[in-house]
Amino acid sequence: MDFNRFVSRSSHLYIAFDPVAISLGPLDVHWYGIMYLLAFLLFWVGGNWVARNRAWQGWKPQEIGDMLFYGMLGVVVGGRLGYVLFYGLDSFLRDPLFLFRITQGGMSFHGGLLGVIVAMGWYGRRSGRSLFQVSDFVAPLVPVGLGLGRIGNFIGGELWGRLSDVPWAMIFANAVQPGGWQSAELRLAWESGALDHLARHPSQLYQALGEGLGLFILLALYSRHPRPTGAVSGLFLVGYGCFRFVAEFFREPDGHIGYLSGQWLTMGMVLSLPMVLAGVILMAMAYRRG
């Protein structure tokens, strides 16, 4: 028996997971969708814990479910509209039904953020609170979902990083060939070491650690004590914008957009800079009001 057949000569990990977690007849449940559901569940659990243990924030556990419903609408509708407007406008103008093909392009965080802001404002009016009273409560709970979403991207073999030869670089089958996760030929090529030059930064994991874990720790520590209204929301904008801007140096830009300038400026950077500026202004105004 040729045991060499089972030993990879590649120096990089090969990422080729089946993006479908469960198939129920004609319905395919993707890992990315499961991560969204898990994120919503953890938001509900975390929100209830905060409401019970931080009475000074003025929230009741029974309010969390209603807030989550509004947030889910904002994430889904805003995320898809944002992707179409920021990254797929040409496709939408050619075919308006592109808006509803959520498997083509997915969703945009920046669009989802705008959708959530609208949803929080709507919920705030119905509950007698200001937008920033709602967003200050919501902001520390959001990074958990962001991190899970990036892990979903990693499992799905999408939104991969730029080409790299760092020791922890990985070979994403779908980056080599569309649908490559199910290609036996690609796996054999990887085992022989023929794909080493196509290794990439696992930027999805960088983002999970930055805008997921890092931002969660930052906001959890900052929001443990009462802060001026709007300050927690401002720190979220600053923190996410900075983490995302840095991650864009390692993330491959969308193929149909590419680099906006040189070989470094991406749409993700352009959309993140206003977030940082808005966050700084919001925190300054919050502390000035006292």
Side-chain angles (χ1 to χ4, degrees), residues 39-62:
F40 292 140
L41 174 62
L42 292 178
F43 178 95
W44 182 80
V45 172
N48 274 272
W49 184 91
V50 173
R52 288 194 304 269
N53 291 274
R54 296 179 182 173
W56 50 267
Q57 291 197 11
W59 290 85
K60 299 177 181 178
Q62 55 266 32

Side-chain angles (χ1 to χ4, degrees), residues 13 30 46-47 93 138 145-146 200-201 206-207 221 230 235 245 264:
L13 289 177
H30 289 71
L93 293 177
V138 169
L146 296 179
R200 295 176 175 274
H201 282 288
Y206 298 172
Q207 290 187 259
L221 293 175
L235 182 60
F245 189 90
W264 64 278

Side-chain angles (χ1 to χ4, degrees), residues 117-240:
I117 290 173
V118 172
M120 288 188 298
W122 185 13
Y123 177 77
R125 292 191 63 179
R126 293 178 62 89
S127 63
R129 293 182 174 90
S130 70
L131 168 62
F132 294 124
Q133 286 176 318
V134 179
S135 61
D136 282 352
F137 180 86
V138 169
L141 302 172
V142 172
V144 173
L146 296 179
L148 288 172
R150 296 311 177 189
I151 292 174
N153 294 143
F154 178 78
I155 296 175
E158 58 191 4
L159 302 184
W160 48 75
R162 305 184 191 186
L163 294 172
S164 173
D165 59 357
V166 296
W168 58 89
M170 302 178 187
I171 299 169
F172 293 89
N174 292 341
V176 180
Q177 173 185 313
W181 66 269
Q182 53 190 338
S183 171
E185 291 77 11
L186 276 186
R187 181 170 290 276
L188 289 174
W190 164 71
E191 291 174 351
S192 70
L195 301 182
D196 280 2
H197 66 292
L198 298 176
R200 295 176 175 274
H201 282 288
S203 58
Q204 312 97 319
L205 299 183
Y206 298 172
Q207 290 187 259
L209 290 174
E211 64 205 46
L213 180 60
L215 188 57
F216 171 78
I217 293 174
L218 176 65
L219 291 172
L221 293 175
Y222 183 72
S223 63
R224 287 188 304 171
H225 306 290
R227 305 291 181 182
T229 302
V232 175
S233 302
L235 182 60
F236 173 85
L237 294 175
V238 172
Y240 179 86

